[in-house]
Amino acid sequence: MLLALSLIGFLTLAAGIVVRWIGRRVDALGRVAPFPKISVGLSLGLALCCAVPLMVEAWVEHRLEDAAGEIAGGPVQVHCQSVGQAFVDVGPELGFVAWGADGVPERSTLIKFGVCGNLRAWLGSTKASPSLDQVVAVHVLTHETMHMVGITDEAHAECAAVQRDAAMAVALGASPQEAQALARRYWIEVYPRMPDRYVGGCGPGGTHDEALPTPPW
């Protein structure tokens, strides 16, 4: 929001400078004032500095929505937390899906600022050697997608997510081999360290084992 307001402000400033120049372009003696190239250029340059991050954010959110929608089997909304939102955020969760008044999760999620940053970095990489933070970031998107399809129990959502991490990674542009390695790494390095309410009934033959074709175990 802050970047968007700044973008509008700088564009308005540039337009105002041009309009003012047009109104005073010729003085009483008939002399033509030079075009204010420096001030207009500076305003447009600052506007561009605001526009580029907004365009990148829009591209990232579009990629995340497409991938999450593919896994969810229908349209969903994915929003990346802004800098301003992150500044006042004190919650420990890495992603969030709101529950409606009827107790049904909404098909919209907010992914925290740092997680979106890791997703952005992974999307722009070769995807061959992701950092652990990037592995977790892909999983967070999968986990929140499981909530968006209606799973409210955290252990169930977590297990459903680990079984779909590879599919999510492929939907985001990884090769099947890279995707399977990413899912396997989360299962081995991260899942065992999750809080108790996120684990249980997951694994071969477990309560939440869906016998999908690409589980991480």
Side-chain angles (χ1 to χ4, degrees):
M1 178 62 73
L2 182 60
L3 280 175
L5 291 175
S6 298
L7 172 61
I8 294 171
F10 288 127
L11 289 175
T12 302
L13 177 60
I17 294 171
V18 172
V19 169
R20 182 181 180 187
W21 171 77
I22 292 173
R24 302 181 179 182
R25 187 168 62 91
V26 180
D27 64 15
L29 298 177
R31 294 174 299 187
V32 178
F35 184 78
K37 294 182 291 185
I38 295 178
S39 53
V40 171
L42 180 60
S43 298
L44 292 177
L46 291 171
L48 181 62
C49 289
C50 296
V52 170
L54 288 173
M55 292 172 63
V56 172
E57 180 182 348
W59 173 78
V60 170
E61 289 184 345
H62 178 70
R63 290 288 304 276
L64 301 183
E65 284 186 347
D66 282 352
E70 183 176 330
I71 301 304
V76 296
Q77 293 182 330
V78 178
H79 301 287
C80 283
Q81 187 181 51
S82 68
V83 175
Q85 290 173 323
F87 183 75
V88 298
D89 180 28
V90 294
E93 68 280 351
L94 300 180
F96 178 77
V97 172
W99 265 234
D102 56 359
V104 177
E106 298 177 356
R107 292 181 72 88
S108 176
T109 183
L110 176 70
I111 304 298
K112 293 298 182 71
F113 181 78
V115 178
C116 270
N118 286 317
L119 282 166
R120 187 185 309 113
W122 183 76
L123 286 171
S125 72
T126 64
K127 302 176 181 62
S129 302
S131 68
L132 188 58
D133 284 340
Q134 291 170 353
V135 170
V136 171
V138 173
H139 174 80
V140 168
L141 179 62
T142 317
H143 181 99
E144 299 309 323
T145 300
M146 295 302 94
H147 283 315
M148 289 191 285
V149 299
I151 301 176
T152 56
D153 178 74
E154 289 293 356
H156 186 185
E158 181 71 357
C159 192
V162 298
Q163 295 175 80
R164 291 169 174 81
D165 279 338
M168 179 66 80
V170 168
L172 288 169
S175 70
Q177 295 76 19
E178 292 165 344
Q180 195 63 34
L182 182 147
R184 178 72 175 169
R185 189 175 178 193
Y186 184 89
W187 172 249
I188 293 175
E189 297 184 32
V190 182
Y191 183 82
R193 298 187 284 108
M194 293 295 290
D196 289 346
R197 70 191 187 101
Y198 285 88
V199 298
C202 201
T207 305
H208 302 307
D209 181 6
E210 300 177 51
L212 296 179
T214 56
W217 44 77

